[in-house]
């Protein structure tokens, strides 16, 4: 998608602090973190929300959840959340599917 900010991050057209990557997924620090650990994990292919992602591309869904889980193990203790706001009324502001990996109890030094 030409005008999608997260597609642009995935294409490296605009900067982001990338924290993890796999063939199908990308993770970067949220620009305005709401918890001490706040990472966004996206599929590299554009889907408007997590339902579209799940119903159309199981490989990318698994890639997103796997990368989020690896980063959770690496950067949080056992307490963390992976959440997907879906739709404006639920607080979604960027319409490229993304999981918020958040934790109040990060592990060690964050980069
Ligand atoms: P949503 O509200 O759609 O669930 O989450 C969008 C998230 O993306 C917000 O937490 C917001 O801070 C983050 N965000 C929006 N634009 C950018 C950006 O250009 N770079 C980064 N790293 N995060 C962004
Ligand atoms: Zn996109």
């Amino acid at each position: 998608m030409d005008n999608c900010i997260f597609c642009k991050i995935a294409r490296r057209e605009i900067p982001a602090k990338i924290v993890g990557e796999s063939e199908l997924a990308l993770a970067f620090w949220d620009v305005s973190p709401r918890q001490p650990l706040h990472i966004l994990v996206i599929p590299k292919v554009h889907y408007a929300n997590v339902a579209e992602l799940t119903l159309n591309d199981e490989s990318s869904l698994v890639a997103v959840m796997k990368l989020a889980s690896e980063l959770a193990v690496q950067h949080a203790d056992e307490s963390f959340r992976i959440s997907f706001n879906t739709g404006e009324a639920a607080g979604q502001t960027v319409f490229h599917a993304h999981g918020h990996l958040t934790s109040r109890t990060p592990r060690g030094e964050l980069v």
Side-chain angles (χ1 to χ4, degrees):
M1 286 267 287
D2 286 354
N3 247 346
C4 169
I5 192 162
F6 286 178
C7 282
K8 288 182 181 174
I9 287 175
R11 290 196 298 262
R12 310 297 209 270
E13 289 172 11
I14 61 169
K17 287 170 80 179
I18 291 170
V19 67
E21 181 168 18
S22 65
E23 189 191 344
L24 295 174
L26 185 70
F28 46 93
W29 298 100
D30 195 293
V31 76
S32 85
R34 287 182 290 284
Q35 293 210 1
L37 180 79
H38 192 164
I39 291 170
L40 301 175
V41 187
I42 66 167
K44 289 183 178 175
V45 176
H46 181 92
Y47 296 99
N49 57 53
V50 70
E52 281 201 14
L53 167 65
T54 303
L55 296 173
N56 291 289
D57 188 347
E58 288 181 16
S59 302
S60 290
L61 171 70
V62 169
V64 166
M65 292 306 297
K66 196 170 171 197
L67 185 55
S69 299
E70 286 168 359
L71 291 167
V73 168
Q74 195 179 337
H75 290 294
D77 64 3
E78 283 86 44
S79 300
F80 60 88
R81 179 176 295 181
I82 299 170
S83 55
F84 296 81
N85 297 330
T86 305
E88 260 175 62
Q92 187 177 6
T93 58
V94 177
F95 291 85
H96 178 129
H98 54 281
H100 295 258
L101 168 61
T102 54
S103 175
R104 292 182 213 279
T105 51
R107 190 199 295 284
E109 280 283 300
L110 294 178
V111 270

